[in-house]
């Protein structure tokens, strides 16, 4: 079975938004339209980097590896926002930190990518879906709806553990 909680991942990718599936994994239930809009607004407002981290983007980009930059950026984010260790906090604070982290990682990665390519980072927009905003920050222009939906479906299908076992097996076989 390729399921998230009790739902088929393929059905979710076909019929739901990334934010809906994200809320399913975080809160345990698929949202109704009103709850979906609230959640989408909640995570959209969390995409922005704190000023101290914005000031350090060039330094992060100079690290070479995007994963090194991301690791260091996440540490700096937690320090700037005063995050406490996850084992010392309650559910609501842990959820808030996790949502912020998931929301801001694409902002960090696209900024580092663009800086390493000699381009200026593109700030996030909270009027776009998560996938549309990712492409906006990566490309510097709004992507066609079909591209946004393709990225969104890919992210839905890889939201849990990166990808399913059959995809992993196919990648291992293809790479050998």
């Amino acid at each position: 079975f390729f399921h998230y909680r009790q739902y088929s991942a393929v059905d979710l990718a076909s019929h739901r938004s990334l934010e809906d599936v994200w809320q399913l994994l975080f809160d345990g239930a698929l949202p109704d339209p009103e709850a979906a809009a609230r959640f989408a607004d909640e995570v959209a407002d969390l995409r922005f980097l704190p000023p101290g981290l914005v000031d350090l983007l060039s330094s992060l980009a100079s690290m070479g590896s995007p994963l090194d930059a991301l690791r260091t950026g996440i540490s700096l984010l937690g320090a700037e926002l005063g995050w406490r260790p996850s084992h010392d906090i309650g559910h609501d604070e842990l959820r808030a930190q996790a949502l912020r982290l998931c929301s801001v990682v694409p902002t960090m990665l696209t900024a580092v990518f663009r800086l390493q390519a000699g381009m200026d980072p593109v700030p996030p927009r909270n009027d776009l879906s998560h996938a549309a905003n990712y492409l906006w920050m990566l490309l510097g222009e709004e992507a066609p709806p079909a591209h946004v939906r393709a990225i969104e479906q890919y992210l839905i299908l890889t939201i849990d553990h990166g990808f399913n076992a059959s995809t992993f097996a196919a990648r291992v076989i293809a790479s050998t």
Side-chain angles (χ1 to χ4, degrees):
F1 294 109
F2 183 25
H3 285 77
Y4 301 144
R5 300 203 181 245
Q6 68 271 29
Y7 299 97
S8 162
V10 175
D11 288 345
L12 291 171
S14 296
H15 305 291
R16 299 303 288 245
S17 71
L18 175 62
E19 287 84 351
D20 285 354
V21 177
W22 189 356
Q23 187 169 13
L24 169 66
L25 294 181
F26 263 71
D27 298 330
L30 282 172
D32 60 31
E34 185 178 298
R38 280 194 313 271
F39 185 82
D41 288 344
E42 178 183 11
V43 296
D45 289 339
L46 300 174
R47 296 177 179 149
F48 298 86
L49 297 173
L53 193 50
V54 170
D55 294 341
L56 296 172
L57 284 174
S58 293
S59 296
L60 290 174
S62 70
M63 297 182 86
S65 164
L67 291 180
D68 289 341
L70 180 62
R71 180 198 63 235
T72 303
I74 289 170
S75 296
L76 293 168
L77 175 73
E80 183 160 345
L81 297 178
W83 286 354
R84 299 181 299 147
S86 60
H87 59 274
D88 290 341
I89 59 178
H91 176 268
D92 291 344
E93 189 175 353
L94 182 60
R95 180 184 184 276
Q97 286 183 10
L99 281 179
R100 180 69 187 264
L101 181 61
C102 292
S103 297
V104 81
V105 161
T107 306
M108 278 193 268
L109 284 176
T110 56
V112 166
F113 170 80
R114 288 182 64 87
L115 286 165
Q116 288 179 340
M119 298 179 282
D120 290 331
V122 174
R125 290 175 40 189
N126 60 3
D127 64 317
L128 298 173
S129 71
H130 191 76
N133 181 66
Y134 169 73
L135 290 171
W136 161 255
M137 293 185 302
L138 185 66
L139 304 171
E141 61 186 36
E142 287 191 39
H147 294 182
V148 171
R149 186 63 182 146
I151 290 293
E152 183 173 56
Q153 288 178 316
Y154 174 79
L155 291 173
I156 289 170
L157 292 171
T158 60
I159 199 169
D160 189 30
H161 304 295
F163 44 81
N164 66 20
S166 62
T167 304
F168 174 76
R171 288 181 180 184
V172 169
I173 291 166
S175 70
T176 57

